[in-house]
Structure formats: structure tokens, C-alpha cells
Amino acid sequence: MTVLDSVVRSDDVTDHLTSVISAVHRRSPGEAVFHQAVDEVLTALAPVLERHPEYIDARILERLCEPERQVLFRVPWVDDRGDVQVNRGYRVEFNSALGPFKGGLRFHPTVDLGVIRFLGFEQIFKNALTGQAIGAGKGGSDFDPSGRSDGEVMRFCQSFVTELYRHLGEHTDVPAGDIGVGVRELGFMFGQYKRIVNRFEAGVLTGKGVGWSGSHARTEATGYGAVIFLREMLATRGLSLDGRRAVVSGSGNVAIYAIEKAQELGATVVGCSDSSGYVVDDAGIDVALLKEIKEVRRERLSTYVAQRSSARYVTVGSVFDIPCDVVLPSATQNELGADHAATLIRNGVIAVSEGANMPCTAAAVAAFRDAGLLFAPGKAANAGGVATSALEMQQNAARTSWTWHETQDRLDEIMRGIHGHIRDTAATYTSDPDDYVSGAAIGGFTRVADAMLAQGVV
Ligand code: NDP
């Protein structure tokens, strides 16, 4: 057989992709963000399917789009007034070809099955890109922790884990944080898990406090990683972050540490946001003040301006209206649309690195790519969080703890590795090393697909 005999005609690949995508839409009605994530990844896979018909024969795409297991459950708890509250819990265990299911928990009122399936699907490719032995999953609840007392959050977390614990395990499924879930929530969940199983199984959750088997640099990892990826992209054009104006949307875990790292590398971050508005601070965001407000006092971002004379809080327009050179959307999915992209391009932005998962709409991504600027999709740029979670699992398994510098160095190395792998993959399959969207999808896909082929039809 010649090489050409083993190559599938591109018409056949298009037919195959169209059929898989329409089946996903038909079988998961109403899950718009899941459809969006599937469409983006699958359409990027055409060049690899043309060269590797074995993936089509083994129905890898159909299997990838169907989670291995989904758990939906009731989470009853009692609030501070003594009233019974009922929320819904989710865990979608998407793919374990490369390792235990791995991915965060999101507590936010907008959470539904479609949101968790979109996040879990993205996690497959992100986790594979890290090169570590982690599969993919995601979970959460429509519970809203904002405005709730510590006692209410604890009772909710305990009830959540009392059902979920039976599906978890350091070799089975290892959750972490995401929107609304930080060290406080993970602490309550770890405590309840430990109590139920009567075992100090450190590797069952990541993002733990450093004093109780957590890893240094995990809190910082996602935001730092997104900036490291941005640094690497700029370097391919002989550019750096030094002296650049940056905008970071959000003001949570990812945003705070993206701001910190960007400023460490010489940028001035002139804006950040929350769901009510945004701060403009031409002197550069005061990260210590931001941490105090968001992490310690758990207050709204608007209080920042009361203590910072160079800043103003704006509730009309968008944080993306602020003129800047680089942007790190780090709040939530679809926060940056075509209009925002047009404004950013008009204002001369040169690079976009997604700290959040799928923060740019498909139209915004298309606009950035058409404009020829550097664009890093979240599954690549924000992989530093889960990569450091895998380092936490490694430390837990060895019952050891690495230093902050050691962990941060490994994060830097992993992000550089992801960046290089994506560019090589893009160059191989699309002849354009700057095509980070295709490179990330194909680079993650081939690792998972090869493992699935090797492991048979399961
Ligand atoms: P946090 O809960 O710490 O912060 C979320 C931030 O985004 C807050 O500023 C919040 O504002 C804002 N936000 C949330 N929802 C909306 C919305 N619907 N509209 C506008 N603003 C919103 O979450 P993280 O920083 O952990 O997560 C941010 C993003 O990064 C998510 O997409 C997450 O999936 C992704 N991510 C996180 C990782 C991690 O390690 N934490 C790893 C990889 C990806 P407000 O307070 O007003 O709600």
C-alpha cells in the first residue's frame, strides 16, 4: 500500500465531520456551549483525519464526544436561617485514556449539564497537551457561593461530597477548583471526603492549601501559565511584554495571577473586571490591593477605587474597550464577542491569550485570526493550572513537597513545552506554526486518540 492509498479523500473527511457534529447537536439538544466547543475542535481536526483514516475507522471522534460517565445528583443543605435549600450537582467523567479523570468543579448559578460538558470536553485536549498522565472530567453545581457565610458554604460542600465521594479517588477521578471554588471550598470538601472514607488520601483533590498537602504555585499556576504562554508567543516575533499595556478581564483566581505575572514581566495592566463592571487604572493594577479585596475580604471589585486614586470603576461598555497591546480574557465563556474583537483590533492589540475557558466567541476568534494577530486558545494558554495540579498529585503520591521555585520552574518548562508542541503540530498539519487553534486541537487529539486506539473499544 502506498502512502497515498492510506490517505482519506478530504470530501470523505468533511462528510465524516459533518455527520459526527450533527449527531452531537441532535443528541444533546440545548447545550449551546458544548456544541460550540465540539464544533471548534472537530473542524480543526480535518488535516489529521485525512492522514490517519484509522481514527475514523475506530470511531474515535464519536467516542470522544460521548463522556464515559455522567453523574447528576441532588445536593440538599440547610442555610443560616434554617431553611432547606436544594441544588443540583454534576460530575462528567469524559475520558480516562491518559489517566484518572481530572478537572475542576464550578459553583455558579449558570452551571448546567451543557456548561459542564463543554468544560469537560475542552479538558480532554488541554490535559493531553500537558503531556502528563491525566484524563479529563469536570463538575460543579448551580450553587452560588457569593454572599453566603462560611458556614453555609461548608454545609453545601459537605452535602455535595457526601454524594460525589463514591465516584472519586486518587486513581479514579481527581477534582480541583474553578469559578466559585477555591481553597476554602476544596478544604471543606477534602475534610468531608477524609471523614467518610477514613483515609488521608491527599491525591483525591488538587488545589489544596500548601499546609495540608497542596502544592506551591498551584494558586498562581493558571494565570501565570497564560502569561508565560503569551511571553512565548510574543518571542516568536522578537517581541516581549516589557512596556506593554495589558488588559485582563475578570478579577478572580486566574485574573489576579495573570495580572501579577504580566506586571512582573514589565507590562502595565490597565484594566480588570467582574460581572458588574470594570476598573481602569492607568498606573497599573495594584495586585496586593486586589488580593486583599478579592481573596481576604471577599468584596466586590468596585471597592478597589475607594483606595486607589489613579483608578475609576466603570459600568458602561466593556473592559475590552480599554486601548491595550495584549489582552488576557480570564473571566468566563463567551465574554469577548465580535464587537469587542473589532474594538481591540482597531486599538492595535497584537496578542490574545485566553486565561478562561472559551472566553472568545467563534466570531471573535475568526476576527483575531483574520487580522493576523497572535491568538492562544484556552485549552493551551490556561493549561498551567491543571498541569500544576498533576504536579500536586505527583508530590502527594511521593509524600513529598517541592519548593516554590522548583514548582514554578516546572510550570514554566511545561508551558514552554506546550507552546513548542503546538507550533510543531500546526506547522506539520497546516503549514502555519502561528495557527495555535489547529495546533492545540490536533496536538491534544493525537495523544488521546493514540491511547484510545491502543486500549481497544472501551
Ligand atoms: P473565580 O471564581 O476565581 O473568578 C471568576 C471571575 O470571573 C470573577 O471576577 C467573576 O466576577 C467573573 N465572572 C464569572 N462569571 C461571570 C459572568 N457570567 N460574567 C462576567 N464575569 C464573570 O474563577 P477562576 O478565576 O478560577 O476562573 C476563571 C476562568 O478560568 C473560568 O473560565 C475557568 O473555567 C477558567 N480556568 C480556571 C482555572 C483555575 O485553576 N482556577 C484553570 C483553567 C481555567 P463576579 O465575582 O462578579 O462573578
Side-chain angles (χ1 to χ4, degrees):
M1 186 191 264
T2 68
V3 172
L4 277 180
D5 291 331
S6 68
V7 172
V8 183
R9 281 180 34 243
S10 66
D11 285 356
D12 294 339
V13 167
T14 306
D15 289 350
H16 178 63
L17 287 171
T18 307
S19 128
V20 176
I21 288 172
S22 56
V24 168
H25 288 218
R26 194 176 61 249
R27 297 179 71 204
S28 320
E31 298 185 3
V33 280
F34 176 52
H35 300 168
Q36 185 183 338
V38 168
D39 296 356
E40 183 200 291
V41 171
L42 264 51
T43 50
L45 296 180
V48 75
L49 297 177
E50 283 168 20
R51 294 195 205 177
H52 294 283
E54 65 273 22
Y55 296 140
I56 299 178
D57 294 344
R59 301 179 78 94
I60 294 292
L61 294 190
E62 290 92 324
R63 286 195 269 156
L64 269 180
C65 293
E66 192 67 29
E68 290 181 29
R69 185 180 298 112
Q70 301 189 142
V71 191
L72 268 71
F73 51 101
R74 181 175 68 198
V75 190
W77 57 284
V78 179
D79 69 17
D80 284 347
R81 292 184 314 192
D83 292 336
V84 175
Q85 301 282 339
V86 183
N87 287 98
R88 185 174 290 172
Y90 303 86
R91 186 72 182 165
V92 175
E93 298 182 331
F94 235 110
N95 195 294
S96 62
L98 296 178
F101 303 108
K102 182 86 199 85
L105 299 169
R106 175 177 292 191
F107 292 169
H108 195 270
T110 57
V111 163
D112 59 23
L113 186 58
V115 168
I116 299 300
R117 280 155 61 93
F118 127 62
L119 292 165
F121 184 74
E122 286 284 292
Q123 205 82 40
I124 298 173
F125 309 94
K126 179 190 316 196
N127 294 7
L129 283 171
T130 69
Q132 293 158 303
I134 40 178
K138 200 83 188 187
S141 173
D142 56 1
F143 171 71
D144 185 359
S146 64
R148 292 291 181 187
S149 69
D150 286 353
E152 289 177 316
V153 171
M154 181 181 75
R155 290 193 292 281
F156 172 81
C157 289
Q158 290 177 339
S159 181
F160 185 85
V161 162
T162 299
E163 174 55 36
L164 188 61
Y165 87 93
R166 69 193 84 242
H167 302 286
L168 307 183
E170 61 185 341
H171 301 297
T172 312
D173 186 348
V174 183
D178 191 84
I179 290 179
V181 178
V183 171
R184 175 183 62 168
E185 291 74 18
L186 289 164
F188 293 146
M189 288 191 266
F190 184 69
Q192 182 72 350
Y193 180 86
K194 180 167 63 66
R195 184 188 198 186
I196 294 171
V197 301
N198 191 30
R199 217 172 38 237
F200 194 101
E201 189 186 330
V204 73
L205 286 178
T206 59
K208 300 180 293 294
V210 173
W212 41 280
S213 295
S215 173
H216 285 290
R218 175 61 189 88
T219 302
E220 295 85 354
T222 310
Y224 276 23
V227 175
I228 294 168
F229 200 94
L230 175 59
R231 181 195 71 196
E232 294 299 302
M233 285 202 301
L234 290 171
T236 65
R237 295 191 178 176
L239 304 171
S240 80
L241 274 164
D242 196 24
R244 303 274 172 207
R245 274 170 68 92
V247 160
V248 178
S249 63
S251 49
N253 172 262
V254 178
I256 289 170
Y257 292 96
I259 295 169
E260 183 167 277
K261 189 71 176 177
Q263 301 205 140
E264 188 187 306
L265 296 183
T268 304
V269 179
V270 292
C272 65
S273 64
D274 65 6
S275 56
S276 312
Y278 60 99
V279 160
V280 185
D281 189 344
D282 284 321
I285 299 291
D286 179 339
V287 183
L289 175 59
L290 186 63
K291 285 183 189 174
E292 169 71 21
I293 291 168
K294 300 300 294 185
E295 294 182 337
V296 181
R297 304 198 319 239
R298 294 184 184 278
E299 289 175 356
R300 301 297 298 163
L301 179 63
S302 52
T303 61
Y304 175 91
V305 296
Q307 291 160 262
R308 184 85 173 156
S309 58
S310 54
R312 60 202 158 88
Y313 188 74
V314 186
T315 53
V316 290
S318 154
V319 71
F320 303 120
D321 294 338
I322 305 172
C324 61
D325 304 309
V326 295
V327 59
L328 292 120
S330 304
T332 194
Q333 65 270 9
N334 290 332
E335 56 168 318
L336 195 165
D339 290 353
H340 301 128
T343 305
L344 287 162
I345 293 165
R346 205 167 43 244
N347 286 339
V349 75
I350 55 173
V352 181
S353 181
E354 291 190 327
N357 283 308
M358 212 169 69
C360 300
T361 64
V365 176
F368 290 141
R369 295 176 71 181
D370 288 348
L373 54 84
L374 294 163
F375 174 80
K379 63 176 75 62
N382 71 35
V386 76
T388 309
S389 277
L391 299 181
E392 184 174 334
M393 291 163 71
Q394 230 176 299
Q395 291 168 76
N396 293 157
R399 292 185 178 278
T400 188
S401 174
W402 304 335
T403 64
W404 201 88
H405 287 293
E406 194 176 353
T407 319
Q408 220 214 344
D409 287 350
R410 292 204 186 198
L411 168 65
D412 204 288
E413 187 186 342
I414 290 168
M415 294 312 297
R416 280 185 276 121
I418 295 172
H419 179 264
H421 176 57
I422 289 175
R423 284 186 70 83
D424 290 348
T425 306
T428 304
Y429 286 99
T430 73
S431 310
D432 177 9
D434 285 346
D435 183 354
Y436 290 90
V437 171
S438 301
I442 296 171
F445 169 79
T446 49
R447 284 183 177 161
V448 184
D450 289 343
M452 289 174 74
L453 280 181
Q455 292 168 22
V457 181
V458 293

